[in-house]
Amino acid sequence: MNSVSAVTHYSVPEEMEEGSVVANLAADLGLDVKTLNTRKMRIDVVANKKYLDINKDTGELFILERIDREFLCPSKTTSYCVLKLDATIENPIRMFNIEVEITDINDNAPHFRRGTMHLDISESSPVGERFSLNNAADPDVGTNSVKNYHLSSSEHFSIEIQTGRDGTKFADLILKKALDREQQAVHNLILTAVDGGVPTRTGTASIIVRVLDVNDNAPSFDKDKYVVDVMENSPIGSLVIKLNATDLDEGSNSDVVYSYSLYTSERTQNMFNLNPENGEIRVKEMINYEDLKFYEMEVIASDKGSDSLSGQCKLTIQVTDMNDNHPEISIKSFQSPIKENTPTDTVIAVVSVSDKDSGDNGVVDLHIPQNMPFKLRESSDNYYQLVVSQPLDREKVPEYDITFTVTDRGSPPLSDNETMTLELLDVNDNVPQFPQSFYTIRVMENNAPGALLSSLTAFDPDLHENQYLVYFILEKEIANTSMSMLFSINPENGNLYALKTFDYEIEKEFLFHIEARDSGSPPLSSNVTVHIIIVDQNDNAPVIVSPWRAHGSVVEEKMPRSTDKGSLVAKVIALDTDSVHNSRITYQFLQVTDATLFSLDQYNGEIRTMRMFSYRDPRHQRLVVVAKDNGDPALSATVTIKLSTVETAVKAYSDMTEVPLEYDIFSDLNLYLVIGLGSVSFLLLITILVTIVLKCQKPKPSKAAPTSRNSVISERNSTVADSTLVSNDAYWYSLFLAETRKGKLVVRQPVPKGSRYIVSSIPRGTGLTETSDSAASTL
């Protein structure tokens, strides 16, 4: 059976935070908090949004959503705002009526419906007159609503606060001092509304008071008396003066009309025209100084107000005698064109001037522009000479437009001018100039003959034949070879070509000069230094020099099967005649019978054992080593080493010595070495002979000429470092280098300890064999 209890009343302020506790509803209703969940207690809203709810665990009534009293109860007829709730609980069912009064807080500032109020007030309005203003509204109620108004400081206005029947506050604007539009046409005021809350809130509105004009000011001129000068023979319609009368009023009260007074003579009115709208006085008829020297008049300015006001001034016009004859100029002689190397003080033209006026009006002055290399020199009365004052340069200024200006000393001065064009003829005074003083040109070796290397173009600012350039290569011989046999230049456009294919391994750079010569008389020339750098290509494959073998043959080596781990088996040495970058060689196995048995150092080519031989390892091992350079694309060479293992009956590899044996084979490498050593020897011999001849011819020492950079043909000294060789290898390698420099081919072959080395060598270019013995080695 339903049971309804009495109304439970609570009061909370608006804008409380969500989750804020209003009261412990379960305790106030006498309910057991522990049974709220089982009895399904709930809060139902009556005709409103659900702003509150109950916590069934604690029995507390809490704020579910922020409450805005102004939104909930927008009407201001009453300050009472209540939120009605129904609390229901089951087993047995009971209902509780709950009223929550929402009290107001000062959360709204006063505001005006219009932020700006415009008032039009006549400047003739009496002091004390009232003007209604819009009142401010505040959604809050009670003491939080609008309580007062304040007006910004003003000497002309104040406010008076009124209270309506409903308690609404509003203000009237009171005029406390007379207005004057001419002193201040607009008054800007700020009206502030203040509520009674704590803390107080305010709202403002702007009041713009526009003062309406009345015709209380007469037009006035800048001066009471004017004196102006007018030149005789002034054109009809020319302006003499523009009178200006101002009226501080506005609208039609400030519109001014100009007119002659009755005191102005008819002759003066016929001679000058007065514009009634803008006050301009213009010449109406031709003025003659000899007829009348001055005119007097009185001008009235009247406004267009209902009660018209006016002002006046006096004007005196003085006629000035006019300088009405222009000076004249006459060119008696003028020389054009002239050469650009014409000496200074050379006379170019003779000019005469004249003026028919008298006095200062007849005195004339002649001048030319100041920024020219010429000056005027007076030769006699009114005769002038035009002479060269500074050196001329056709390349900077090819011609001059010389304006002769003659001016008299009248007031205002009159002038006349005449312009003559002076042309300059070119002389060959400029040396051809290259954009750069030194050119570095990189040429890839193996270039095609006739290839364009660069375009070396010079510039000559002269004209015609003085600027026509011809290009030459200054002859120089390097190693009995003329530069003209190596390079060619187009004499017309300076295109530089290569006449041969260059080889970086033979010649690495060239240094010579190119001359540009014009066709003037006498011709002028300049030269530029050209540095040709031959850039290396990877065009030489590595050559394997150790272990040596005949072309296509296999190197056979023997070693005991008891060799320890890490023992040196062989050392592959390859040479590459390319540049340092392209000749950097790395070694790697191309084929190997057992990859777990041998290791190859990729940088020094040493082949060592990685472990000891076992009975399962085959007796014959085949190693193919490839030597690859660092070029792009890389070039390579291979060597095949056939390694045979022997039982311990064979002497250990480390106890064996090496003997260089001669092969009657003349390889490409030896041919290169022979040519290189022969060329160096020949050049050294020639140098010594030339030095001896020069010493004999020149007994006295002379100053040494500065050295010039010629073509440098450098040879690269290839050094093979082998710091890890055993003593036998070190001896073999030093012997290999020594015999190779002598033009002999050597290889090594192990021989028993205690034997002597027998070196057979073939001299270069002969079939003879020479033999030398070395001391016995006890390694």
Side-chain angles (χ1 to χ4, degrees):
M1 182 173 183
N2 295 342
S3 176
V4 179
S5 301
V7 176
T8 303
H9 184 84
Y10 296 103
S11 178
V12 296
E14 64 173 329
E15 303 293 341
M16 288 185 66
E17 295 289 335
E18 295 178 3
S20 300
V21 177
V22 175
N24 194 317
L25 183 61
D28 293 341
L29 297 179
L31 301 175
D32 186 2
V33 175
K34 298 179 180 179
T35 63
L36 294 181
N37 281 316
T38 58
R39 298 183 68 181
K40 300 180 181 180
M41 183 167 186
R42 65 181 182 272
I43 297 295
D44 297 321
V45 180
V46 179
N48 273 307
K49 187 176 181 181
K50 190 172 184 179
Y51 289 100
L52 296 97
D53 203 353
I54 187 170
N55 188 330
K56 296 178 182 179
D57 295 327
T58 62
E60 294 175 339
L61 183 67
F62 66 93
I63 302 296
L64 183 63
E65 185 175 338
R66 189 185 296 268
I67 304 173
D68 185 357
R69 197 199 72 82
E70 287 75 28
F71 175 78
L72 187 64
C73 303
S75 175
K76 295 190 64 175
T77 57
T78 177
S79 62
Y80 187 71
C81 181
V82 66
L83 185 64
K84 294 183 178 182
L85 307 173
D86 288 337
T88 304
I89 193 168
E90 298 180 1
N91 298 322
I93 296 177
R94 293 184 62 188
M95 294 184 63
F96 303 93
N97 294 328
I98 303 171
E99 288 185 354
V100 180
E101 181 184 357
I102 310 301
T103 60
D104 183 50
I105 64 173
N106 191 23
D107 59 341
N108 291 281
H111 68 278
F112 292 87
R113 287 188 294 274
R114 289 189 298 175
T116 303
M117 291 178 276
H118 295 272
L119 296 177
D120 291 338
I121 303 176
S122 173
E123 64 177 326
S124 60
S125 298
V127 175
E129 187 171 352
R130 291 173 173 269
F131 305 93
S132 297
L133 300 176
N134 294 330
N135 64 312
D138 192 330
D140 295 324
V141 295
T143 59
N144 295 329
S145 62
V146 176
K147 296 301 180 183
N148 202 357
Y149 291 92
H150 300 290
L151 184 67
S152 60
S153 177
S154 173
E155 63 175 329
H156 292 278
F157 298 96
S158 64
I159 60 172
E160 185 176 304
I161 301 173
Q162 304 289 335
T163 304
R165 293 181 179 180
D166 58 352
T168 303
K169 301 287 186 180
F170 59 90
D172 289 339
L173 186 67
I174 309 298
L175 180 63
K176 66 179 183 179
K177 183 179 179 181
L179 301 175
D180 187 349
R181 192 205 62 80
E182 288 72 35
Q183 290 184 358
Q184 187 173 354
V186 177
H187 296 264
N188 293 303
L189 307 174
I190 300 297
L191 181 62
T192 303
V194 183
D195 63 19
V198 178
T200 60
R201 293 179 180 267
T202 61
T204 60
S206 176
I207 303 174
I208 300 176
V209 179
R210 187 167 65 92
V211 182
L212 302 180
D213 182 55
V214 295
N215 191 22
D216 56 349
N217 292 280
S220 63
F221 289 93
D222 298 335
K223 299 178 182 178
D224 293 335
K225 293 182 180 181
Y226 294 87
V227 178
V228 295
D229 296 328
V230 63
M231 191 67 62
E232 68 168 326
N233 300 327
S234 294
I236 295 175
S238 58
L239 180 66
V240 177
I241 188 174
K242 181 178 181 180
L243 298 176
N244 182 39
T246 57
D247 193 321
L248 299 178
D249 295 321
E250 66 177 358
S252 61
N253 296 331
S254 65
D255 293 338
V256 178
V257 178
Y258 300 89
S259 62
Y260 287 120
S261 71
L262 298 176
Y263 298 103
T264 303
S265 66
E266 185 176 352
R267 181 177 182 181
T268 299
Q269 295 184 32
N270 293 333
M271 189 64 64
F272 300 96
N273 180 58
L274 173 62
N275 189 320
E277 298 297 329
N278 55 26
E280 290 182 350
I281 297 178
R282 296 182 178 272
V283 176
K284 192 174 182 181
E285 294 183 1
M286 187 64 65
I287 303 173
N288 193 342
Y289 174 81
E290 288 71 27
D291 291 343
L292 191 63
K293 295 182 175 55
F294 63 90
Y295 298 86
E296 290 183 343
M297 61 185 71
E298 186 178 72
V299 179
I300 297 175
S302 304
D303 62 28
K304 296 181 180 180
S306 56
D307 297 326
S308 179
L309 302 177
S310 64
Q312 61 276 338
C313 72
K314 290 184 178 181
L315 174 63
T316 300
I317 299 176
Q318 299 176 351
V319 181
T320 305
D321 190 18
M322 180 180 177
N323 182 24
D324 51 358
N325 289 289
H326 288 264
E328 297 178 355
I329 183 171
S330 176
I331 307 296
K332 299 301 181 181
S333 66
F334 187 80
Q335 181 182 356
S336 179
I338 63 173
K339 291 186 176 181
E340 62 174 320
N341 60 351
T342 299
T344 56
D345 284 339
T346 300
V347 178
I348 299 174
V350 177
V351 182
S352 67
V353 294
S354 61
D355 194 320
K356 295 178 182 179
D357 291 324
S358 59
D360 288 341
N361 295 335
V363 179
V364 296
D365 298 308
L366 180 67
H367 62 274
I368 59 173
Q370 295 182 355
N371 57 346
M372 289 188 174
F374 309 102
K375 66 180 180 179
L376 288 171
R377 185 167 58 196
E378 188 173 3
S379 58
S380 59
D381 290 342
N382 294 334
Y383 276 85
Y384 296 86
Q385 293 178 340
L386 180 67
V387 298
V388 178
S389 62
Q390 299 176 16
L392 305 177
D393 190 348
R394 188 209 61 79
E395 287 71 34
K396 293 182 179 178
V397 183
E399 66 178 22
Y400 293 91
D401 290 329
I402 306 174
T403 300
F404 297 93
T405 303
V406 59
T407 306
D408 63 23
R409 298 182 184 178
S411 180
L414 298 178
S415 63
D416 193 11
N417 61 73
E418 187 169 346
T419 301
M420 305 296 291
T421 300
L422 175 65
E423 296 181 6
L424 300 183
L425 297 177
D426 183 54
V427 296
N428 192 25
D429 58 347
N430 288 280
V431 176
Q433 295 292 331
F434 285 92
Q436 302 173 216
S437 61
F438 190 90
Y439 286 87
T440 299
I441 303 173
R442 297 181 179 274
V443 180
M444 191 68 67
E445 71 168 327
N446 303 319
N447 59 293
L452 176 65
L453 304 183
S454 182
S455 182
L456 311 177
T457 305
F459 172 72
D460 193 323
D462 291 323
L463 289 179
H464 309 307
E465 66 275 1
N466 296 331
Q467 72 170 171
Y468 297 149
L469 302 181
V470 181
Y471 299 89
F472 306 91
I473 295 179
L474 297 182
E475 285 297 334
K476 180 197 296 185
E477 288 191 359
I478 298 178
N480 296 327
T481 302
S482 172
M483 281 294 113
S484 60
M485 298 176 63
L486 302 176
F487 304 97
S488 172
I489 190 169
N490 190 319
E492 295 181 356
N493 56 25
N495 288 345
L496 183 65
Y497 300 92
L499 297 181
K500 60 167 288 187
T501 299
F502 296 109
D503 188 349
Y504 172 84
E505 287 70 35
I506 298 177
E507 49 221 352
K508 292 181 173 55
E509 62 179 7
F510 300 93
L511 193 70
F512 56 92
H513 299 281
I514 289 179
E515 178 181 293
R517 183 185 306 162
D518 62 28
S519 303
S521 180
L524 300 177
S525 63
S526 65
N527 60 67
V528 67
T529 302
V530 179
H531 183 202
I532 304 293
I533 298 177
I534 309 302
V535 180
D536 181 47
Q537 281 186 331
N538 191 28
D539 56 348
N540 291 281
V543 176
I544 295 177
V545 297
S546 175
W548 189 91
R549 84 281 186 219
H551 291 293
S553 61
V554 177
V555 177
E556 295 185 359
E557 296 282 355
K558 292 183 179 181
M559 65 180 298
R561 293 184 65 85
S562 61
T563 301
D564 294 334
K565 174 184 177 181
S567 299
L568 180 66
V569 176
K571 182 178 179 67
V572 179
I573 301 175
L575 301 178
D576 193 321
T577 57
D578 285 323
S579 64
V580 176
H581 178 76
N582 292 328
S583 64
R584 191 178 300 124
I585 296 175
T586 56
Y587 303 90
Q588 62 186 26
F589 280 127
L590 189 61
Q591 294 180 10
V592 59
T593 302
D594 188 347
T596 65
L597 188 56
F598 301 101
S599 67
L600 172 63
D601 191 303
Q602 63 173 337
Y603 297 111
N604 60 24
E606 291 182 353
I607 301 175
R608 295 180 179 270
T609 56
M610 295 176 62
R611 58 179 175 81
M612 295 186 64
F613 286 93
S614 66
Y615 68 93
R616 296 179 179 177
D617 294 325
R619 290 184 174 276
H620 300 287
Q621 300 284 337
R622 186 173 182 270
L623 308 179
V624 179
V625 179
V626 59
K628 186 184 298 184
D629 62 22
N630 195 41
D632 185 16
L635 301 179
S636 61
T638 60
V639 60
T640 301
I641 302 175
K642 186 176 180 182
L643 187 64
S644 300
T645 58
V646 297
E647 299 300 330
T648 54
V650 181
K651 292 188 177 181
Y653 179 77
S654 58
D655 293 336
M656 302 174 70
T657 57
E658 300 162 351
V659 59
L661 298 180
E662 178 186 4
Y663 285 79
D664 190 13
I665 294 175
F666 202 73
S667 69
D668 292 339
L669 175 63
N670 291 329
L671 178 60
Y672 295 152
L673 293 174
V674 169
I675 293 174
L677 293 174
S679 300
V680 172
S681 301
F682 178 74
L683 289 176
L684 179 61
L685 179 61
I686 293 299
T687 303
I688 294 173
L689 292 177
V690 171
T691 304
I692 294 173
V693 172
L694 292 177
K695 291 291 185 179
C696 294
Q697 290 181 351
K698 298 180 181 180
K700 293 182 179 182
S702 59
K703 185 182 293 184
T707 59
S708 61
R709 295 186 60 188
N710 295 330
S711 174
V712 180
I713 305 175
S714 63
E715 61 179 278
R716 178 172 54 84
N717 295 322
S718 300
T719 303
V720 180
D722 186 13
S723 59
T724 61
L725 289 176
V726 295
S727 59
N728 289 342
D729 290 325
Y731 174 77
W732 148 249
Y733 188 61
S734 60
L735 183 61
F736 167 77
L737 293 178
E739 294 302 321
T740 301
R741 292 191 184 100
K742 297 176 183 179
K744 303 170 184 178
L745 297 180
V746 295
V747 296
R748 67 178 183 178
Q749 177 180 349
V751 297
K753 224 178 1 176
S755 300
R756 299 175 63 88
Y757 292 105
I758 301 175
V759 179
S760 298
S761 60
I762 303 175
R764 298 290 185 180
T766 68
L768 301 177
T769 302
E770 60 183 28
T771 304
S772 62
D773 294 342
S774 62
S777 173
T778 59
L779 294 175

